[in-house]
Structures are given as C-alpha cells and as structure tokens.
Amino acid sequence: MGHKTTQIRLTSRPVGEPRDSDFEVGTAELSELIDGQVLLRTIYLSLDPYMRGRMSAAESYAEPVELGAVMIGGTVCEVLESRSPNRAPGDLVLAFTGWQTHAVVPARQTRRLDPAEAPISTALGVLGMPGLTAYAGLLDIGKPEPGQTVAVAAASGPVGSAVGQIAKLKGARAIGIAGGPVKCRALIEEFGFDAAIDHRSPTFRADLEAATPDGIDVYFENVGGPVTEAVVGRLNPFARIPVCGVVSGYNRTETSAGTDRLDLSAVLWQILTRSLSVRGFIVEEFVPTRQADFLRDMAGWVAQGSVRYREDIVDGLERAPEAFRGLLAGRNFGKLLVRVGEDPTRD
Amino acid sequence: MGHKTTQIRLTSRPVGEPRDSDFEVGTAELSELIDGQVLLRTIYLSLDPYMRGRMSAAESYAEPVELGAVMIGGTVCEVLESRSPNRAPGDLVLAFTGWQTHAVVPARQTRRLDPAEAPISTALGVLGMPGLTAYAGLLDIGKPEPGQTVAVAAASGPVGSAVGQIAKLKGARAIGIAGGPVKCRALIEEFGFDAAIDHRSPTFRADLEAATPDGIDVYFENVGGPVTEAVVGRLNPFARIPVCGVVSGYNRTETSAGTDRLDLSAVLWQILTRSLSVRGFIVEEFVPTRQADFLRDMAGWVAQGSVRYREDIVDGLERAPEAFRGLLAGRNFGKLLVRVGEDPTRD
C-alpha cells in the first residue's frame, strides 16, 4: 500500500517577500520502499534564511528549487518503515526531506539521533547546521583572540547566539545586535553577551559606539544593510568579517532600490583603508574538516550549560510560509522550527 | 649658509579631481645640517595613486597632508652634504622627501642605491613600493596556483604589470585589463600576459568572458567601479581578491553619484555565494616580513629579464600636479616619475 505525504510546493518564484500564492499545499503518493530505503514521518522542519535563495532562479550557491517541487529543508524524523539493516522503526533521524509530512529516502541519507544525548530538535539548531556555521565561521575565519571584540547581528538567532557564546568561551568580548528590547535583554541575561544593541533604536549608532570603545576585531556578518554600514565605522585595522548571510537583502528585487549608502567602490575603500579580511562561506565547506570537532566541543558546551539556545516552535506544516516570512523579517526569537508531527520524546 | 628648496605645497583639499589651485609653488629655507643629517637633491619623485588619499581629510590609512605642507612622496636623491659617517656627497639614495627639489633629513631615513645593480629609478618602481605591493599582494594574499587564472586591472601600470609577470612565473594564466589598444598590445608583447582586455571597448564584458573560459581565481584589485563589477561575474568559488587600491573612487566626492551598480548588500551577496576572500592591504604591512624576499627575487627576475618594467618620466617638478591628474585618469603608461633634477647615471 502506498503512503501519502502532504507537501508544500514552490509554484512561483517570489518577487520580494514570498507570498502564500507562491506555494501550494498538495498531497502525493510515495513510492514503495526498495532495499536500503526508509519511510520517514517528519517531526520538525527547520526554517532557515538560506531557503530564500533557493526560491529564486538568480545565481546563488546552490541550484534553485524547481517550480512544482517540494521546498527543501532539514528535518528531524521518525522511521516508520525500514528496508535497511541500519535503521529500525522508531529510530529518530536527521534528514533533509523538506516541507512535507512524510518521505521515502535512502537510509544512508539520514543520521541517527540519540534523544538521551540532547533533545532531538537541537540537531537542526545548536548541534546542527546553524551551530556549525557559528563554530567554523567564528573560529576558522573570525579567529578571535582573547580580549578582542566580536560583534554579531541577528544575535538572538541560532547562529548569532552561538557566535557570541563561543566568542566568550574563547576570551573575547561579545557584542550582540538584535531588534527590540526583549531580544536585547535576552542577549545579556540568557546568552551572556557583554553588550546588547537594539538596531531599531534611534540611538543605534551612538549605542554601538559606546559599546565598542576599543573598536571591533571580528564582525560575524549575517544581515548586511544599515546594520553593517554602522558596524563598518567601528572596525579595527585587520578586522575579520566572516560572511554567512545577508538576510537584509534576501527579499530585494532587481528593481527595488537598495537602502545601502555604500556602493562597490566605497566598500572596497573601507576594505583597503582598514586592511580588512572579508570571507564568504557556506557551512558545507567545513563539514569535512570541522564537523567532528564541532560536535565534540559543542555537545560538551551545551551539556555543561556554557552554550545555551532558544527555540521558536510553530505548530503545523501549513504555517511554514507565514513563519518563513516572519524569519526574514526578524519576528522569530531563537531557532525557528515547524512541528510537523508529534515529538515522541516530549509530552 | 642655508640652502633653499622649491616645494609644491597642498593649499586646499581637492574636491574631486585635484586642480592647480589646490597647490602652490614656493621656496623655503632649509635648516643647517646637524649631526646625522644629510642634504639631498631630488632626482626622481614618484607619483602614486595613494597620494590622492593623503590630500583628503577623510579617513584613510594614514594622516592627511596638512594644508600648507609640502606634498609627501618617495624620491631618489643625490647626497650633496653629509654629517653622517654612513653617507658621502655623491651617494645616491632612496628617500621620502616629497614634492620638492631639496631636503635635509636624517641619513638613517635614506637607503643607499647601487647604480651598478639596477637603474636608480627602479627603486621607486619595480624594485620599490609598487613592486613589493605586487609581490606580497599576489603571493601572500592572492596565492595563485599553477594553472589558475589571475586577472589584474591597470595592468600596464607598475603594480599591474608586475602582478601579471609574477603570476606567469608561478605557472598561472595572466589576464590584463587596461585602457586602450596601445596599452593592451604592450601587455601581450612587452609583459607576456596571456590575454589583454580593453575596458574602454564596448565589447569589454564579452571580451572578458571570452578570455576567462575557466573563470578567475585571483583578482588583484586596484581600480574598483565598472571594471570590478564585470570581473565579479567571472570569479570562481573561493577566489581571492587582494585589494591594494580603488583608483576609480579616489576622485569621488561625498555628493557625486557613484556609477557602481552594486551596493553593500549586493557586494556581500557575491562574497557569500562565491565563498570569496577579499583582503585589503597596505604595502607597509609586508615590509617587515617580505622586503628581503622581494628584493632578492625581484632583482633576480629583473636582471634575467623575466620581469620587465616601463617608466613614464615627466620633466620638471612644476608639472607634478598635471602629471598626477593624468595618473588618476589613466593617461600615463608605466611607472610615473617626475624628473626633478639631473640623473647623473644617465646621459
């Protein structure tokens, strides 16, 4: 008997902010399992900023999602059926099955999770891709030294909060930039940043200056736009800027006027006169070399409470498009997950 | 008896292109020599793009020239009088005495040149600051590998022509970008580039694409603006971009509309999606670590003819402002020098 999946498919390429009409909800019949495959039930779907790039046909670091295809995404799933000796029904796994309730995939495309080690949802957050992004980007590109100042925007998000906490563990000062007083308070109280700055405040630039009396040595870049323009003015000579995202630009269209005041030559001038190192990276670059170090270090830090994390869980697959819009607008607080089905490890 | 010097002084900060009225020519009385000092007669004055930055009060990597002060600059001089045991009248030295005919400086601020080793003017060019800029920027930041493609703009200039030739010596393909057919021909015939592309040609973008079938792995940045925007489209993943200058932006004013189409977020997006490394540098950074290697390697390459150079010599100190404007506009061809006084090593 075939199994069904409910899917959210991309039906048109969004112009600017993705709308509900860019997606359709539908069901599909899954193929019968062949040897080596497993049938999965989605528990958590991860929503991440990079997905905006995959919705567009414009050049990016990966192929766009085809029109009519299910939106891609990382998931935590339960194995319902298995034709692999390595997976049994009831196993909980990390997979990449996208915006849908069920999927049939090769067992080797899944990684088994042990709920006794860490909550299974963390495999999509602090112990997953966002955590590795923070770890490798900060340590391998940012290279903070004790006493130096590390700044990060979107600091209450899964990447930013890990960046700040790892910076502190390495003896650096951590400056977090976030939107609104609630997030800013959490940066200090929950995540232990040395200073939190609200980019929505009219005194943002002055606040940033006051919080960085010795300038900024590492700016972990994930937003772009006016926040970055303000940070540029505080960068010390030889500062390092790992670039892992440009959220402020993801919804821009070809014709929408950018609000950035700096153009190419002005950016190059800043890079030149401050001897800056600006380095873009995609987390996949570091999986072969740093995944093992990351899992060892980060699991230890999380277990001992020196790295904390926050999750923002939305219930129901059908709310994914709305939640994704909120992500791009900064309305979530913590790692954004969609609970697609019941989590058997929680009540 | 005091000695006199004729000087070109900066009298106002240029807005856009420097005008004659931003300078004044005057004479000054030099102080009597004290122990350790030498009296110098300027033979060659180096004109370099970085000087435009020093004319402005805007933030740069060095203090601006004060209004009323003599314009700074590297020089090759003859020692006329010496109160140092290490220098004798007739010695030829590298100094930093600026836009003037004579100066009194500590002998230790000069470096003795041996005309038997290389023409003394090369101490301001291929064996001087522009040569070290090319050498360290390309090898230490650009890190070209055999078979990779290196592109450089202003390729017929002293930095660009050295970049291309060093790239070839390291087994890379060298693509030069220059303005006009005369310079482009010289890139191939004189400097041995694999391809030369005229950025003034209406087919510039198509020509660049045709010349870089395997993309670009190293872009040695010294111009910015539309040339860079075209190059960005050809950059391979993990390309390295040493940034040593942004000539196209040097004359821009706060209010002049930039012609760049890329703004900050768009630049970051390119850096992100191609995993680019962009690194600004000032040549002084490499003097402690690389000056000795550079002089050894480059003097050898020049002596054996595997690195060639071209000089563009203007006669008369009073023509320095006009020649400097030409430099920013790309009207010179080769290392731009002002012959301020007779060169005793040439007829």
Side-chain angles (χ1 to χ4, degrees):
Chain A
M1 287 295 88
H3 293 274
K4 280 204 164 70
T5 179
T6 300
Q7 304 178 320
I8 297 185
R9 305 176 193 124
L10 185 69
T11 50
S12 59
R13 307 223 172 269
V15 177
E17 183 174 77
R19 302 182 201 184
D20 286 343
S21 57
D22 295 320
F23 305 96
E24 68 174 11
V25 181
T27 58
E29 196 81 18
L30 294 171
S31 57
E32 289 293 323
L33 272 64
I34 61 172
D35 277 352
Q37 289 187 327
V38 286
L39 170 67
L40 301 178
R41 169 181 78 81
T42 310
I43 300 169
Y44 294 108
L45 163 67
S46 179
L47 293 182
D48 301 278
Y50 78 85
M51 292 169 171
R52 181 62 185 83
R54 303 289 186 92
M55 294 176 187
S56 296
E59 186 179 39
S60 180
Y61 40 82
E63 289 297 302
V65 174
E66 283 181 38
L67 292 183
V70 60
M71 268 302 300
I72 48 93
T75 52
V76 166
C77 301
E78 180 182 357
V79 176
L80 296 183
E81 295 179 18
S82 174
R83 286 188 62 178
S84 161
N86 302 316
R87 296 285 180 274
D91 278 356
L92 299 170
V93 297
L94 177 67
F96 198 80
T97 51
W99 298 25
Q100 59 183 343
T101 60
H102 296 77
V104 170
V105 298
R108 66 185 148 68
Q109 289 179 10
T110 68
R111 192 179 92 210
R112 191 151 46 185
L113 301 172
D114 182 353
E117 281 180 2
I120 57 173
S121 58
T122 60
L124 297 170
V126 70
L127 294 178
M129 187 268 283
L132 178 58
T133 300
Y135 179 91
L138 180 66
L139 298 182
D140 291 16
I141 300 175
K143 299 191 174 98
E145 292 175 18
Q148 291 193 329
T149 298
V150 173
V152 60
S156 68
V159 175
S161 62
V163 165
Q165 293 175 92
I166 298 170
K168 294 290 294 177
L169 286 166
K170 297 298 178 183
R173 272 192 91 224
I175 310 298
I177 302 168
V182 172
K183 288 179 179 175
C184 282
R185 198 172 317 118
L187 291 185
I188 306 284
E189 295 174 1
E190 245 179 270
F191 299 125
F193 279 75
D194 293 289
I197 302 155
D198 183 353
H199 66 78
R200 294 183 189 151
S201 163
T203 59
F204 168 55
R205 280 180 175 253
D207 296 344
L208 180 67
E209 195 175 329
T212 56
D214 300 322
I216 293 171
D217 302 292
V218 179
Y219 175 54
F220 194 100
E221 170 66 286
N222 50 22
V223 298
V227 168
T228 300
E229 292 187 326
V231 167
V232 165
R234 302 301 301 159
L235 292 173
N236 288 329
F238 302 103
R240 288 80 65 195
I241 299 129
V243 179
C244 88
V246 195
V247 173
S248 73
Y250 288 176
N251 276 338
R252 285 203 313 188
T253 60
E254 282 283 324
T255 51
S256 74
T259 56
D260 295 353
R261 294 173 307 108
L262 295 175
D263 66 10
L264 174 66
S265 296
V267 172
L268 290 170
W269 180 249
Q270 295 294 338
I271 291 171
L272 169 63
T273 55
R274 295 168 195 257
S275 298
L276 304 179
S277 291
V278 188
R279 170 68 154 79
F281 72 104
I282 310 297
V283 66
E284 280 74 11
E285 175 186 342
F286 292 103
V287 170
T289 54
R290 297 291 267 159
Q291 171 84 1
D293 298 335
F294 158 68
L295 280 177
R296 181 198 62 225
D297 289 348
M298 198 67 142
W301 291 333
V302 170
Q304 76 198 27
S306 48
V307 169
R308 302 170 73 174
Y309 62 95
R310 189 188 255 256
E311 294 175 337
D312 188 338
I313 299 182
V314 171
D315 273 297
L317 177 64
E318 71 285 357
R319 292 180 58 198
E322 173 202 338
F324 184 69
R325 278 194 295 274
L327 176 70
L328 296 182
R331 287 193 290 271
N332 63 308
F333 183 179
K335 174 66 195 116
L336 182 59
L337 299 169
V338 178
R339 183 154 37 205
V340 177
E342 186 210 1
D343 177 353
T345 68
R346 299 195 192 188
D347 287 336
Chain B
M1 289 295 88
H3 293 275
K4 280 203 164 68
T5 178
T6 301
Q7 305 176 320
I8 298 185
R9 305 176 194 125
L10 185 69
T11 51
S12 58
R13 307 222 172 271
V15 178
E17 182 174 78
R19 303 182 201 185
D20 285 344
S21 57
D22 295 319
F23 305 97
E24 67 174 11
V25 181
T27 58
E29 196 80 19
L30 294 170
S31 58
E32 289 294 323
L33 273 64
I34 61 172
D35 278 352
Q37 289 187 327
V38 287
L39 170 66
L40 301 178
R41 170 182 78 81
T42 310
I43 300 169
Y44 295 109
L45 163 66
S46 179
L47 294 181
D48 302 278
Y50 77 85
M51 293 169 170
R52 181 63 185 82
R54 302 289 187 91
M55 294 176 186
S56 296
E59 185 179 37
S60 179
Y61 40 83
E63 289 298 301
V65 174
E66 282 181 39
L67 291 183
V70 61
M71 268 302 301
I72 48 94
T75 52
V76 166
C77 300
E78 180 183 356
V79 176
L80 296 183
E81 295 179 18
S82 173
R83 287 190 59 179
S84 161
N86 302 316
R87 296 287 180 273
D91 278 356
L92 300 170
V93 297
L94 178 67
F96 198 80
T97 51
W99 299 23
Q100 59 184 340
T101 60
H102 296 77
V104 170
V105 298
R108 65 186 149 67
Q109 289 179 10
T110 68
R111 192 179 92 211
R112 191 151 44 183
L113 301 173
D114 181 354
E117 280 180 4
I120 57 173
S121 57
T122 59
L124 297 170
V126 69
L127 295 178
M129 187 268 283
L132 179 58
T133 300
Y135 178 91
L138 180 66
L139 298 182
D140 292 17
I141 300 175
K143 298 191 175 95
E145 292 174 19
Q148 291 194 330
T149 298
V150 173
V152 60
S156 68
V159 176
S161 62
V163 165
Q165 293 176 91
I166 298 170
K168 294 291 295 177
L169 285 166
K170 297 298 177 182
R173 273 191 90 223
I175 309 298
I177 302 168
V182 173
K183 289 179 179 176
C184 283
R185 199 173 316 119
L187 291 185
I188 305 283
E189 294 175 2
E190 245 179 89
F191 299 126
F193 279 75
D194 294 288
I197 301 156
D198 183 353
H199 66 77
R200 293 183 190 152
S201 163
T203 58
F204 169 55
R205 281 180 174 253
D207 296 344
L208 179 67
E209 196 173 329
T212 56
D214 301 322
I216 293 171
D217 302 293
V218 179
Y219 175 54
F220 194 100
E221 171 66 287
N222 51 23
V223 298
V227 169
T228 300
E229 292 187 327
V231 167
V232 165
R234 303 300 302 159
L235 292 172
N236 288 329
F238 302 104
R240 288 80 65 197
I241 299 130
V243 179
C244 87
V246 194
V247 173
S248 74
Y250 287 177
N251 276 339
R252 285 203 313 187
T253 60
E254 281 283 325
T255 51
S256 74
T259 56
D260 295 353
R261 294 173 307 108
L262 295 174
D263 67 8
L264 174 66
S265 296
V267 171
L268 291 170
W269 180 250
Q270 294 294 339
I271 290 171
L272 169 63
T273 55
R274 295 168 195 257
S275 297
L276 303 179
S277 291
V278 188
R279 170 68 154 79
F281 72 104
I282 310 297
V283 66
E284 281 72 13
E285 175 185 343
F286 293 103
V287 170
T289 54
R290 296 291 267 159
Q291 171 84 2
D293 298 335
F294 159 68
L295 281 177
R296 182 198 60 225
D297 288 348
M298 198 67 141
W301 292 332
V302 170
Q304 75 197 29
S306 47
V307 169
R308 303 170 73 173
Y309 62 95
R310 189 188 254 257
E311 294 175 338
D312 188 337
I313 300 182
V314 171
D315 273 296
L317 178 64
E318 71 285 358
R319 292 180 58 197
E322 173 202 340
F324 184 69
R325 278 194 294 274
L327 177 69
L328 296 182
R331 287 193 289 270
N332 63 308
F333 183 2
K335 174 66 195 113
L336 182 59
L337 299 169
V338 178
R339 183 155 37 205
V340 177
E342 185 210 0
D343 178 352
T345 68
R346 298 196 193 187
D347 285 338

